Amino acid sequence: MKIGIIGAGALGGTFAALLSQAGHDMEVTARGAGLAAIRESGIALSGAYGEVRARVAAGERLTTAPELVLVCTKAQDAASAIAANAELIGEVPVVVVQNGLDGVATAARLLPRASCMGLLSIIAANYTEPGVVRITTPATSYLGRGDGPADAECTRIAALLSEAVPVVAIRGFRGAQWTKLVVNMLNAVPAIVGRSVQDVVDDRRLRRIVTASMRETVRIGVAQGVSFGTLQGLGDRRLRLFARLPLAIGQVLPWLMRVRMGGVPNLGSTQQSLRRGQPTEVDFLNGAVVREASAVGLDAPVNQALTVLVHEVEQGGSLPAERVLADVPV
């Protein structure tokens, strides 16, 4: 199949390399040093899915009409990247591989003739060098749309993508997006202090902050009437229980996630953006919790403080742990 991938970063590069290895005809979009590296040497993938060197067509925009599109940009870049390729995309299926809650809606608004769905990836991938991706933790990805059961097209696309990497079509995709948002609360604190996710969770003081941001996210989701989808053992019942537990006991949840990551340092996507000198997705992660809280007349002070701190780091570099402990109300 002719597959176009918009945004060949960590996840885009992973899917491009593995789908190319599975025999699909790939074209990717990238910018700057990433584009130059892919044109010169291809995409170099290593780690949990093996060693792959994928030679793929690459440009700032797609140049040939695809049969399937994966949008793998950062959330803040999605609208402009989709708009730049909209005419060529036409009516083909579009899979939005993205953090946050708004990706599928954004694609559907800009691509009214396309069939848009979302994919939640728990794969941990480090992308700190142009054109080079290292998988630190493999995982199943979850595809769907809306609140109902997986439809026939989602099931078909999931099977196709599974030729390269495990993908499951799921029901209740919106609830699963909220579960992934809880998981993404692992991003902010490591990005602020410039340490790996494992190192932050191993620090008892910082683990409290991470736990508080996760618990606040669950409580806002509950206030929004969300039924959390099941991802990697996290589901509605378990997350609601977690939100009711004392903070000291709730810390077992990020600790279990840390154990699952293994020993290879996981930087998290927010910190990787900072290391590349790029804006982060924090407004679509912690910032999304703040907006969703405001929509139901609530506050989200933990995630509000973390959002502010990440923006400060974008401007001036990492901050000491003591600053996080002082500024985040736990």
Coordinates of all heavy atoms in Angstrom, one line a residue, residues 143-151 170-174:
L143 N -6.3 1.7 18.3 CA -6.9 2.6 17.2 C -8.5 2.6 17.4 O -9.1 1.6 17.7 CB -6.5 2.0 15.9 CG -6.9 2.8 14.6 CD1 -5.8 2.7 13.6 CD2 -8.2 2.3 14.0
G144 N -9.1 3.7 17.1 CA -10.5 3.8 17.1 C -11.0 5.2 16.9 O -10.2 6.1 16.5
R145 N -12.3 5.5 17.2 CA -12.8 6.8 17.1 C -14.2 6.9 17.9 O -14.9 5.8 18.0 CB -13.1 7.3 15.7 CG -13.8 6.3 14.8 CD -13.9 6.8 13.4 NE -14.1 5.7 12.4 CZ -13.8 5.7 11.2 NH1 -13.3 6.8 10.6 NH2 -14.1 4.7 10.4
G146 N -14.5 8.0 18.5 CA -15.7 8.2 19.2 C -15.9 7.4 20.4 O -14.9 7.0 21.1
D147 N -17.1 7.1 20.8 CA -17.4 6.4 22.0 C -17.9 5.0 21.8 O -18.0 4.2 22.8 CB -18.5 7.2 22.8 CG -18.0 8.6 23.3 OD1 -16.9 8.6 23.9 OD2 -18.7 9.6 23.0
G148 N -18.3 4.6 20.6 CA -18.9 3.3 20.4 C -17.8 2.2 20.1 O -16.6 2.4 20.3
P149 N -18.3 1.1 19.6 CA -17.4 0.0 19.3 C -16.6 0.3 18.1 O -16.9 1.2 17.3 CB -18.4 -1.2 19.0 CG -19.7 -0.5 18.6 CD -19.8 0.8 19.4
A150 N -15.5 -0.5 17.9 CA -14.7 -0.3 16.7 C -15.4 -0.7 15.5 O -16.1 -1.8 15.4 CB -13.4 -1.2 16.9
D151 N -15.4 0.1 14.5 CA -16.1 -0.2 13.2 C -15.2 -1.0 12.3 O -14.1 -1.2 12.6 CB -16.6 1.1 12.5 CG -15.5 2.1 12.2 OD1 -14.4 1.7 11.8 OD2 -15.7 3.3 12.5
I170 N -10.2 -0.6 19.1 CA -10.9 -0.7 20.4 C -12.2 0.1 20.4 O -12.4 1.0 19.5 CB -10.0 0.0 21.5 CG1 -9.6 1.4 21.2 CG2 -8.8 -0.9 21.8 CD1 -9.0 2.2 22.4
R171 N -13.1 -0.2 21.3 CA -14.3 0.6 21.5 C -14.0 1.7 22.5 O -13.0 1.7 23.2 CB -15.4 -0.3 22.0 CG -15.2 -0.8 23.4 CD -16.5 -1.6 23.9 NE -17.6 -0.7 23.9 CZ -18.8 -1.0 23.3 NH1 -18.9 -2.1 22.6 NH2 -19.8 -0.2 23.4
G172 N -14.8 2.7 22.5 CA -14.7 3.8 23.5 C -13.4 4.6 23.4 O -12.7 4.8 24.4
F173 N -13.1 5.0 22.2 CA -11.7 5.6 22.0 C -11.6 6.9 22.8 O -10.5 7.2 23.3 CB -11.6 5.9 20.5 CG -10.2 6.5 20.1 CD1 -9.1 5.7 20.1 CD2 -10.1 7.9 19.9 CE1 -7.9 6.2 19.8 CE2 -8.8 8.4 19.6 CZ -7.7 7.6 19.5
R174 N -12.6 7.7 22.9 CA -12.5 8.9 23.7 C -12.1 8.7 25.1 O -11.2 9.4 25.7 CB -13.8 9.7 23.6 CG -13.7 11.1 24.2 CD -15.0 11.9 24.0 NE -16.0 11.5 25.0 CZ -16.3 12.1 26.2 NH1 -15.6 13.2 26.5 NH2 -17.2 11.7 27.0

